[in-house]
Amino acid sequence: MSFMIGILICGHGHFARGLIEAAEMLCGPQAYLQGLDYELNEDIDVYRRNLLAQIEAWEPQTEEILCLCDMQGGFPMEACLTELPLKKVKIITETTLTLLTYLLVRRNGSQDSHQMIDNAVREAREAIYVIDPQILFADQEGEAS
């Protein structure tokens, strides 16, 4: 039996569903990748039970589970923190598509999970740019004159 790192995306609204759809467009269908969105007016206890049930369903087949949350301090992150303290779970907040795709591509490689997570976070931070089209195309306008 091979062991895998499971990835559970937790967020508000349609965050998890949208992120998984985008990631699978880039990386193909993925085993042990699930989302748990917290919907407006959803019963908090139901969300907590669903979270715990998903983690427990994966425990026999996974060596570790990463809970990727949409934001620091939000309810989905808090639920992961309070419901899963004795489980083999790590929580990562402020999840992006770059972070998720990095983890999906490398989760079964030779890196240990700490190294993989550190590298994924660094890649996600370095992928953030502010692009100002006026500055970007300013040189081209000067050349066209």
Side-chain angles (χ1 to χ4, degrees):
M1 173 187 296
S2 68
F3 287 92
M4 174 170 279
I5 294 175
I7 298 176
L8 179 62
I9 301 172
C10 300
H12 297 84
H14 303 287
F15 178 79
R17 190 174 340 153
L19 198 57
I20 289 171
E21 185 177 317
E24 288 188 334
M25 284 178 70
L26 299 169
C27 301
Q30 298 288 316
Y32 299 101
L33 172 64
Q34 290 291 325
L36 187 59
D37 285 319
Y38 178 65
E39 302 292 341
L40 186 63
N41 298 321
E42 182 177 356
D43 184 309
I44 290 173
D45 291 328
V46 170
Y47 186 88
R48 290 178 190 276
R49 283 193 300 272
N50 290 339
L51 174 66
L52 193 55
Q54 180 62 64
I55 297 299
E56 288 177 347
W58 280 353
E59 277 190 307
Q61 299 86 17
T62 57
E63 55 194 38
E64 190 167 39
I65 298 170
L66 304 179
C67 288
L68 306 184
C69 299
D70 59 351
M71 63 183 293
Q72 174 80 18
F75 172 71
M77 186 221 74
E78 182 272 330
C80 290
L81 192 60
T82 58
E83 293 301 311
L84 309 172
L86 302 178
K87 305 293 182 187
K88 53 187 177 185
V89 171
K90 287 190 176 66
I91 301 168
I92 302 172
T93 63
E94 307 303 326
T95 298
T96 66
L97 183 57
T98 300
L99 178 92
L100 176 58
T101 56
Y102 185 97
L103 293 171
L104 289 174
V105 169
R106 292 169 179 85
R107 67 178 162 168
N108 296 313
S110 60
Q111 296 178 338
D112 69 30
S113 69
H114 293 291
Q115 181 183 21
M116 180 188 65
I117 291 167
D118 287 347
N119 290 341
V121 169
R122 186 177 59 255
E123 287 285 324
R125 285 183 181 142
E126 291 175 0
I128 297 172
Y129 292 94
V130 175
I131 299 172
D132 184 340
Q134 293 175 343
I135 294 171
L136 184 65
F137 296 113
D139 288 339
Q140 291 178 357
E141 287 176 12
E143 292 173 7
S145 305

